[in-house]
Amino acid sequence: MTTEETVGYAPEHPPRLAWAQHAPEVYKAMLRLDTAARRGLDPRLLELVRIRASQLNHCAFCLDMHSKDALAAGESVERIIQLGAWQESRHFYTEKEVAALELTDAVTVLTDGFVPDEVYERAAKQFEEAELAQLIAAITVINAWNRFGVTCRMVPGHYEAGQHQ
């Protein structure tokens, strides 16, 4: 008997709703929005932002997807792992990436009802206005995807890198 045979993993939960099948026009619109939002952004930076927002939103499906896409884009395992504690692991990231992660946190967790001026200003110093607009769009889009994933309990673990690109 192998170790794998003796380990009893928890059962995989079923999804609550196959929302894309029941709202195909919304799904198609989200795909178009996602494509538009990522234009001009570095693919590795984009995946770091997507992973970070998905961590904050507890979206296991998107964490699975974007971690695999980040690895396929050449991102390191170490930097992906450190995203959960990026504030204490700043030295793993460039100043531009730190500004993007900080903005991601602020846009994703709007507990104060706004994005602080200092967070926005640090991002504005690192990104040209057009790129900053794309970054804000990408953060907003991943937050929307996360809400579909969490609400419908989309099941992680079956995605293959590049499957939805």
Side-chain angles (χ1 to χ4, degrees):
M1 190 174 261
T2 67
T3 303
E4 292 172 0
E5 292 176 63
T6 61
V7 174
Y9 291 103
E12 186 176 283
H13 66 76
R16 286 182 176 154
L17 177 70
W19 77 269
Q21 291 175 356
H22 297 289
E25 293 306 313
V26 174
Y27 179 71
K28 289 177 197 171
M30 283 295 298
L31 289 174
R32 288 190 304 274
L33 183 60
D34 190 82
T35 298
R38 73 174 136 201
R39 276 196 198 111
L41 292 176
D42 174 80
R44 287 176 36 178
L45 174 72
L46 176 64
E47 294 305 337
L48 291 175
V49 164
R50 288 171 166 176
I51 293 166
R52 181 60 186 151
S54 299
Q55 288 174 335
L56 293 169
N57 290 321
H58 306 283
C59 186
F61 181 85
C62 290
L63 278 170
D64 177 57
M65 175 188 295
H66 296 297
S67 294
K68 289 173 180 173
D69 284 345
L71 290 168
E75 189 52 78
S76 72
V77 171
E78 186 172 47
R79 284 171 30 107
I80 293 170
I81 290 169
Q82 291 301 320
L83 278 173
W86 71 264
Q87 297 92 335
E88 292 81 30
S89 305
R90 296 169 76 93
H91 61 284
F92 284 88
Y93 308 100
T94 67
E95 287 302 315
K96 188 172 186 176
E97 290 167 338
V98 167
L101 294 171
E102 188 175 33
L103 186 62
T104 300
D105 283 12
V107 171
T108 301
V109 184
L110 291 172
T111 53
D112 292 330
F114 60 92
V115 173
D117 289 339
E118 59 275 6
V119 170
Y120 183 86
E121 289 166 11
R122 278 192 288 276
K125 287 179 184 173
Q126 294 294 324
F127 293 88
E128 297 292 327
E129 284 186 343
E131 189 179 21
L132 181 58
Q134 290 298 127
L135 177 61
I136 293 167
I139 295 167
T140 302
V141 170
I142 189 57
N143 274 280
W145 282 121
N146 290 163
R147 275 130 182 93
F148 285 117
V150 170
T151 303
C152 297
R153 291 187 68 192
M154 294 174 70
V155 181
H158 303 286
Y159 179 80
E160 294 181 24
Q163 182 178 337
H164 293 302
Q165 291 184 359

